[in-house]
Amino acid sequence: MTFLEYKVTWTPTGPVKLLYFNWALAVLLAAVASYGFVMLYSVAGGDLSRWAEPQMKRFAVGFVAMIGIGLVPIWFWRNVSALAYFLSLALLVGVELFGSTGMGAQRWIDLGPIRLQPSELAKITLIMMLAAYYDWLDIDKVSRPLWVAVPVVLILLPTALTVIQPDLGTAILLMAGGAVMMWLAGVHILYFVVVGLAGAGAVAAVFLSRGTPWQLLKDYQYRRIDTFLDPSSDPLGAGYHITQSKIALGSGGWTGRGFMEGTQSRLNFLPEKQTDFIFTTLAEEFGFIGAGSLLLLYVGIIVLCVISASRNPSRYGALLTLGIAATFFFFFAVNMSMVMGLAPVVGVPLPLVSYGGSAMLILMIGFGLVQSAHVHRPRSK
Amino acid sequence: MRRAPADSERSQKLVTRRGLLLGGAQLAFAGVLGARLHYMQVDQAETYRLLADKNRINIRLLPPARGLIHDRKGVLLAGNEQNYRIVMVRENADDPEAVLERLAQLIELSPEARADALAEMKRRSPFVPVTIADRVSWEEVAAVAVNLPVLPGVTPEVGLSRFYPLGRDFAHVVGYVGPVSDYDLKRIDDPDPLLQIPRFQIGKTGVEAHYEPQLRGHAGTLRVEVNAVGRVMRELDRKEGEPGAELQLTVNHALQNFCEARLAGESAAAVVLDPRNGDILAMASSPSFDPNKFVRGISSKDFKALLDDPYRPLPNKASQGLYPPGSTVKMVTALAALEAGLVAPDETVTCNGYVEVSNRRFHCWKRGGHGKVDLVRSLRESCDVYYYEVSQKVGIEKIADMARRLGLGEAHDVGLGNVARGVVPSREWKRRVRGADWLIGDTLNAAIGQGYVLASPLQLAVMTARIATGNVVTPRLVRAIDGVEQPARSDRPLELDPDNLAVVRQGMFEVVNAPHGTAGASRVVADGIRMAGKTGTSQVRNITAAERARGVTSNEDLPWERRDHALFVAYAPHDNPEVAVAVVVEHGGGGSHTAAPVARDVLLAALYDGVPPLSAYPPSQRETIRHRFEGLDLRPALAPSQGRGQA
């Protein structure tokens, strides 16, 4: 390294860091969460204490956590990435052994005041692990088979543990998040082509295994796929959710039926209206304007993250930011596709809006890491 | 880790490039989502909003009150009574089994009924009310009502159900209602959604069945907002149904009661007509049954008893029962002959007790023969040989034609579901139905109402009324629907020669009022009232040559089901007919002996609108008649109930 090549960079230190936070991102996150408060108040039939108030408290905790994490230097997070990853793997094993069952799936560990969903945690720690891995790995080796195999194993471990819970939705999000990380790190495109073809083969295997002793998915998962492909085949049975969801959404029109006036959600036509299907209620009560503006807010968050990453010379920081953003994207894209009848019903909440502590907290931790990367990026003097 | 700056630069570029690509892809997908959202919410909004409204609004039917049926005096024949039932909603009962257990201590509830109710509740959604007990008494309802706190999920409810206050009297005429069966749904092409209501009752027989569309009324609707599982959230609006039309029948409840009482113990039927307008004043079929049992759901034991009864209580013998009319059709043959001009009233036939036609002997009922017989005497003494001779001259076609003009062989549309057509045989009929040629012997048999001829008591009453008035009397059972008078079409003349009618009427007068008349014992002596009539005895078996040789066995010696049917048709007063009657007593023996006294009592009861005074009877019979009337099981006359009140 010669003097001429040396670039003088600095990072803010002390309380000044707060000035360098990505406040635009924080504002957008709060705005999205506010949509959630309003809708949770509405679906509870005007009852603040049922869902909206706990959600507000959780968001407040999450927001403080985000700032706290953002103040911690990014290299600290990079150094604990592997630890966090293996800790969440241990939790996934733990939940398999000691976890509580809810909604037919083992998903959480009861830690007293909060119920932790290790699979949610794994989404973030997997991104951290992969970002750290590619930060460490010599860029020329990225596409070498051996060095490709390592992240594949890192991805498959939490994915497999999530599938056996069984939580297909989270498993798919983990895989997608991992694949995005590999893509961002520069793994050769041929790998993705090959995996894509293999994936198609796996889908075929899933369908062909149906009804055989080695059936790969649970019956209800097959039914969900069936009804996704043709919801009208069983409008009062398994296709019910999709059909009702589409009716609620479609009946919103431009401006919606008005706050607290959505008949579909009011009258319990919608399943899980406070969690996975909350977008439907939003769309029904506030119409295209309400639902479209939420979509724009989400897009804004993604855009801010991409901008932040593109300005970040730190490989770890950039990869982490884009990975978190992609995870966030998958959340809302899958959830919205689901309620609009573009994807099968898998249990994916609408990020920051759906009622639920785990997902909210994990996402805010993720955005805390994004803030940390943003604040501590090497800046030119 | 240390890294060459160039390396770092390359890496950053790569991340940036691929990151932008990824971001672009994400934006593109968000665009797709936005487009889809726009398509569903804006382009397809109408469709989805319609679906949403359909989703939440559920229309429930409110069954209308069934139309009331009154007699000609306004006495209620069929009404609606409130009945109480106990319903239970599973989701409100913590432990349905325990609640039913407690309920069983308050009301009569068999273990089977409890098991049924539990099974029904399990089968249906938890919020659907299930009827536990129907038609519970007021006392039981009260007992349940005060104990409601310990009977979670249980509610007493009130509904309307059909009630026949006069019980057995109008079981055949008014009929009864019962729950819609699958058979009914298949049989009737009626889209009325009311029929889909479980346990909805429709008319099954009689007027109730025939006037079902008018009596049923129109369903009201209750629009309710429901949630996804069908639970009612709130009532949106309520449109009360239109009650069914009120029917007023031409029958007189007191006369009907008298007829039923007078026929009690016999398998018999009686029809009383007002020949002036065709009103059916009474139409009795004995034995009868309690229609209320059918409304409440008759037990299979009771139903089997009704089916197995040799006296056949279920069919309406007055309109559905078909009998060989016997000598009661001799007026038809006589009129046919007179109208054809082939026989003069004073022409005589010599009766030697039989005639021989195509090597067969046709016997007169009087074995020794009547000697010289003219038309009036042929009716008075019911000479068969006279009609054997006359019918050969007239021929079956003219007889059949006259029979039809007088109302035989016609299903009179009186508003009862099942009215028999009977048989008026002719050459064409025999070829079509029996596939055989008409024989001269068939004509002889038909002339005296045997052989193929079949008629119902209703047809015989119509025939009598037509002869009595000379008009085409058309029977009418429904006088008014919702206060709108139904037309009486009984004043069109038959276009028979009045002289011919007069001769036949003279014959019928002498049957009752002249020496040697076959029904002389049943004459009426009231001031100004004389009865005219005709006896009939129809064989239900063939008399064998052997029997004839040793003398026909008297009816009393035969088992009941092989005895002759006894018939009598009559009208009175003979010079100004106000009432016509036909009585058939199955296996009653001779018409003069069994049917004529019944017909006289019924006729007088109609004329006097109540139990006839003894002064109308010949003095020698008054004691017997008084005894008979004292033995009758009569209901006191009822006051009319106007309006739509409850029974």
Side-chain angles (χ1 to χ4, degrees):
Chain A
M1 189 182 290
T2 67
F3 175 78
L4 283 173
E5 286 165 352
Y6 185 72
K7 280 184 179 166
V8 181
T9 60
W10 71 283
T11 52
T13 50
V16 183
K17 280 180 183 178
L18 283 174
L19 293 176
Y20 291 87
F21 260 68
N22 194 343
W23 285 113
L25 179 64
V27 167
L28 287 188
L29 290 174
V32 167
S34 308
Y35 271 73
F37 307 150
V38 171
M39 290 328 296
L40 287 172
Y41 176 77
S42 170
V43 293
D47 183 358
L48 194 68
S49 60
R50 190 158 174 207
W51 289 316
E53 205 177 270
Q55 184 83 345
M56 288 177 189
K57 286 178 183 159
R58 282 195 202 108
F59 181 72
V61 170
F63 199 82
V64 170
M66 177 184 80
I67 291 175
I69 291 166
L71 291 173
V72 176
I74 189 70
W75 46 87
F76 171 80
W77 296 117
R78 189 191 66 195
N79 293 344
V80 300
S81 291
L83 183 67
Y85 173 77
F86 287 108
L87 186 71
S88 63
L89 272 192
L91 283 173
L92 275 172
V93 174
V95 86
E96 196 55 41
L97 298 177
F98 314 110
S100 312
T101 300
M103 309 287 286
Q106 281 187 340
R107 285 186 187 177
W108 58 63
I109 285 179
D110 208 334
L111 297 177
I114 61 157
R115 283 167 164 180
L116 186 71
Q117 275 179 277
S119 59
E120 296 285 338
L121 188 63
K123 283 174 193 160
I124 301 297
T125 56
L126 178 65
I127 304 289
M128 290 169 74
M129 180 71 225
L130 291 173
Y133 171 78
Y134 282 114
D135 186 38
W136 165 80
L137 189 66
D138 191 337
I139 196 143
D140 294 324
K141 296 180 185 165
V142 163
S143 289
R144 291 192 190 158
L146 189 66
W147 300 110
V148 170
V150 172
V152 167
V153 171
L154 290 177
I155 294 166
L156 285 183
L157 277 175
T159 306
L161 286 166
T162 317
V163 164
I164 58 172
Q165 280 190 355
D167 184 353
L168 191 65
T170 305
I172 289 171
L173 288 188
L174 279 169
M175 291 243 274
V180 161
M181 291 304 286
M182 290 174 75
W183 157 265
L184 290 170
V187 175
H188 198 278
I189 197 145
L190 271 180
Y191 285 103
F192 294 96
V193 174
V194 170
V195 169
L197 290 177
V203 168
V206 161
F207 277 97
L208 290 175
S209 74
R210 186 175 189 178
T212 62
W214 48 280
Q215 184 168 306
L216 292 173
L217 297 181
K218 296 236 167 183
D219 279 341
Y220 82 91
Q221 289 167 325
Y222 279 111
R223 278 199 301 277
R224 281 185 174 183
I225 295 170
D226 282 349
T227 49
F228 160 64
L229 295 175
D230 182 14
S232 58
S233 65
D234 187 13
L236 290 177
Y240 184 78
H241 290 181
I242 294 173
T243 309
Q244 294 301 334
S245 169
K246 284 164 76 175
I247 290 175
L249 212 134
S251 64
W254 265 109
T255 53
R257 301 215 147 183
F259 183 50
M260 312 259 301
E261 294 292 327
T263 56
Q264 287 287 102
S265 13
R266 207 62 338 103
L267 301 169
N268 283 333
F269 282 103
L270 292 178
E272 304 175 56
K273 55 186 178 181
Q274 80 280 17
T275 59
D276 293 358
F277 283 85
I278 196 161
F279 184 68
T280 328
T281 310
L282 171 74
E284 188 188 15
E285 298 194 349
F286 294 102
F288 182 66
I289 291 172
S293 61
L294 180 66
L295 185 62
L296 279 181
L297 285 179
Y298 280 137
V299 167
I301 289 170
I302 299 292
V303 167
L304 285 180
C305 286
V306 171
I307 291 172
S308 167
S310 67
R311 286 185 184 165
N312 197 337
S314 152
R315 186 164 163 83
Y316 178 80
L319 281 174
L320 185 72
T321 303
L322 289 173
I324 302 280
T327 301
F328 184 75
F329 169 79
F330 285 132
F331 261 109
F332 75 77
V334 170
N335 180 279
M336 286 186 183
S337 305
M338 172 176 100
V339 299
M340 284 189 232
L342 292 172
V345 175
V346 285
V348 174
L350 191 62
L352 302 181
V353 176
S354 285
Y355 181 77
S358 244
M360 160 85 81
L361 204 61
I362 295 297
L363 279 171
M364 293 310 283
I365 289 171
F367 283 109
L369 294 172
V370 169
Q371 294 285 12
S372 172
H374 186 81
V375 171
H376 299 96
R377 71 169 190 245
R379 288 159 201 262
S380 315
K381 269 231 154 118
Chain B
M1 168 175 305
R2 297 224 149 263
R3 186 180 290 122
D7 228 29
S8 196
E9 206 127 325
R10 231 179 88 209
S11 132
Q12 200 199 333
K13 266 187 192 156
L14 193 65
V15 169
T16 307
R17 184 154 45 93
R18 288 206 169 181
L20 286 176
L21 219 57
L22 182 75
Q26 290 174 345
L27 283 185
F29 191 80
V32 169
L33 288 178
R36 169 83 177 167
L37 202 57
H38 184 271
Y39 171 74
M40 287 176 78
Q41 294 204 280
V42 179
D43 300 341
Q44 300 275 293
E46 283 296 302
T47 321
Y48 284 113
R49 191 158 288 205
L50 265 178
L51 284 172
D53 283 342
K54 209 171 97 196
N55 237 345
R56 75 192 172 100
I57 292 168
N58 197 332
I59 293 177
R60 309 220 156 173
L61 290 177
L62 298 171
R66 196 172 171 83
L68 305 180
I69 302 177
H70 292 106
D71 85 336
R72 67 185 299 121
K73 296 183 168 178
V75 171
L76 192 72
L77 305 182
N80 303 310
E81 62 175 356
Q82 283 193 332
N83 76 348
Y84 300 94
R85 53 179 183 264
I86 306 293
V87 299
M88 187 164 161
V89 179
R90 172 156 61 98
E91 68 172 359
N92 297 341
D94 313 323
D95 179 359
E97 229 161 311
V99 172
L100 280 177
E101 192 100 4
R102 262 171 268 159
L103 195 60
Q105 294 168 6
L106 296 169
I107 64 173
E108 206 184 299
L109 204 57
S110 68
E112 298 86 70
R114 264 150 66 189
D116 285 353
L118 268 181
E120 172 115 14
M121 278 190 279
K122 288 221 176 82
R123 202 171 56 241
R124 292 174 179 266
S125 305
F127 54 85
V128 171
V130 168
T131 304
I132 306 288
D134 211 351
R135 293 181 174 275
V136 293
S137 67
W138 171 244
E139 287 73 26
E140 287 181 318
V141 170
V144 170
V146 295
N147 286 295
L148 281 182
V150 294
L151 297 168
V154 171
T155 18
E157 272 190 3
V158 109
L160 289 179
S161 68
R162 204 59 161 167
F163 176 61
Y164 302 105
L166 303 191
R168 335 167 50 89
D169 286 1
F170 287 95
H172 296 107
V173 175
V174 170
Y176 54 83
V177 297
V180 187
S181 64
D182 291 343
Y183 170 74
D184 292 326
L185 286 178
K186 231 182 299 161
R187 187 172 49 98
I188 49 184
D189 180 27
D190 188 345
D192 193 336
L194 275 173
L195 298 181
Q196 306 297 333
I197 297 180
R199 297 193 193 201
F200 185 75
Q201 296 195 311
I202 61 165
K204 295 284 187 174
T205 62
V207 168
E208 291 270 32
H210 196 266
Y211 286 91
E212 173 63 28
Q214 289 90 335
L215 287 168
R216 188 188 300 156
H218 295 284
T221 48
L222 177 63
R223 293 202 314 145
V224 289
E225 199 174 84
V226 294
N227 70 0
V229 283
R231 189 198 310 283
V232 177
M233 305 303 276
R234 63 189 165 112
E235 260 183 35
L236 291 176
D237 60 56
R238 190 186 179 94
K239 200 175 120 246
E240 290 297 340
E242 260 176 64
E246 269 187 49
L247 251 57
Q248 187 178 35
L249 304 189
T250 58
V251 290
N252 175 337
H253 75 280
L255 183 63
Q256 179 83 12
N257 181 248
F258 182 85
C259 290
E260 291 281 354
R262 186 64 184 81
L263 293 175
E266 299 279 5
S267 176
V271 174
V272 186
L273 275 181
D274 184 337
R276 292 167 297 184
N277 52 18
D279 280 2
I280 296 173
L281 301 175
M283 183 186 257
S285 176
S286 174
S288 189
F289 58 90
D290 184 0
N292 291 309
K293 274 190 181 173
F294 281 85
V295 182
R296 285 162 199 169
I298 191 164
S299 71
S300 55
K301 188 174 126 267
D302 287 354
F303 189 61
K304 194 171 176 332
L306 288 175
L307 281 179
D308 291 349
D309 190 331
Y311 280 33
R312 294 176 297 120
L314 288 175
N316 183 358
K317 290 170 187 146
S319 65
Q320 288 170 257
L322 287 175
Y323 307 90
S327 303
T328 54
V329 295
K330 282 178 179 163
M331 286 86 81
V332 174
T333 314
L335 276 170
L338 289 170
E339 283 292 307
L342 296 168
V343 172
D346 47 5
E347 239 178 273
T348 57
V349 166
T350 305
C351 169
N352 295 321
Y354 65 90
V355 292
E356 203 143 325
V357 177
S358 52
N359 295 326
R360 244 188 90 190
R361 273 191 182 191
F362 289 82
H363 289 269
C364 185
W365 67 270
K366 194 170 178 181
R367 294 187 66 217
H370 290 91
K372 278 186 143 188
V373 179
D374 66 0
L375 199 148
V376 169
R377 189 178 173 209
S378 77
L379 285 170
R380 180 177 74 222
E381 295 174 30
S382 202
C383 176
D384 293 335
V385 168
Y386 180 87
Y387 290 93
Y388 295 149
E389 297 291 355
V390 165
S391 64
Q392 291 181 67
K393 282 193 207 168
V394 179
I396 185 62
E397 296 309 326
K398 287 207 169 71
I399 296 174
D401 188 49
M402 182 56 65
R404 283 189 284 265
R405 282 174 81 176
L406 293 176
L408 302 183
E410 177 188 343
H412 295 290
D413 179 23
V414 292
L416 292 172
N418 217 337
V419 178
R421 182 172 290 279
V423 175
V424 173
S426 64
R427 290 171 198 281
E428 183 272 328
W429 174 87
K430 192 177 177 192
R431 209 173 300 119
R432 178 163 48 83
V433 177
R434 297 287 168 116
D437 281 336
W438 187 263
L439 303 174
I440 188 68
D442 295 332
T443 306
L444 268 60
N445 273 331
I448 62 158
Q450 299 284 352
Y452 300 123
V453 194
L454 287 175
S456 68
L458 175 64
Q459 288 172 332
L460 293 176
V462 169
M463 175 193 81
T464 310
R466 289 187 181 180
I467 293 170
T469 58
N471 288 333
V472 186
V473 176
T474 309
R476 170 174 88 147
L477 183 60
V478 176
R479 191 181 197 187
I481 298 176
D482 252 347
V484 179
E485 176 104 14
Q486 300 300 293
R489 293 181 307 267
S490 294
D491 45 7
R492 189 160 57 83
L494 270 172
E495 287 166 9
L496 296 180
D497 189 331
D499 293 340
N500 294 339
L501 277 170
V503 173
V504 170
R505 287 180 195 143
Q506 180 61 29
M508 291 177 75
F509 178 78
E510 292 193 8
V511 166
V512 184
N513 298 298
H516 307 297
T518 51
S522 295
R523 67 190 182 279
V524 171
V525 298
D527 33 34
I529 300 178
R530 290 293 179 275
M531 178 170 88
K534 182 71 194 80
T535 54
T537 304
S538 70
Q539 292 166 11
V540 293
R541 68 202 163 103
N542 286 316
I543 298 171
T544 61
E547 273 179 330
R548 210 173 282 284
R550 69 175 131 78
V552 178
T553 319
S554 97
N555 259 295
E556 281 69 31
D557 300 336
L558 288 167
W560 177 77
E561 68 275 8
R562 292 187 59 205
R563 291 180 200 163
D564 296 338
H565 293 319
L567 295 92
F568 195 74
V569 298
Y571 62 88
H574 82 284
D575 48 358
N576 180 27
E578 289 172 26
V579 182
V581 64
V583 172
V584 175
V585 180
E586 288 187 357
H587 312 292
S592 57
H593 181 256
T594 321
V598 177
R600 174 174 63 173
D601 290 349
V602 166
L603 218 149
L604 286 172
L607 283 172
Y608 285 99
D609 195 10
V611 177
L614 290 176
S615 60
Y617 294 90
S620 60
Q621 297 174 9
R622 288 180 186 165
E623 199 52 25
T624 335
I625 300 282
R626 193 172 61 80
H627 272 288
R628 187 191 293 151
F629 286 170
E630 278 167 6
L632 291 184
D633 183 18
L634 289 174
R635 174 191 295 109
L638 296 164
S641 73
Q642 290 300 338
R644 292 195 176 275
Q646 303 291 323

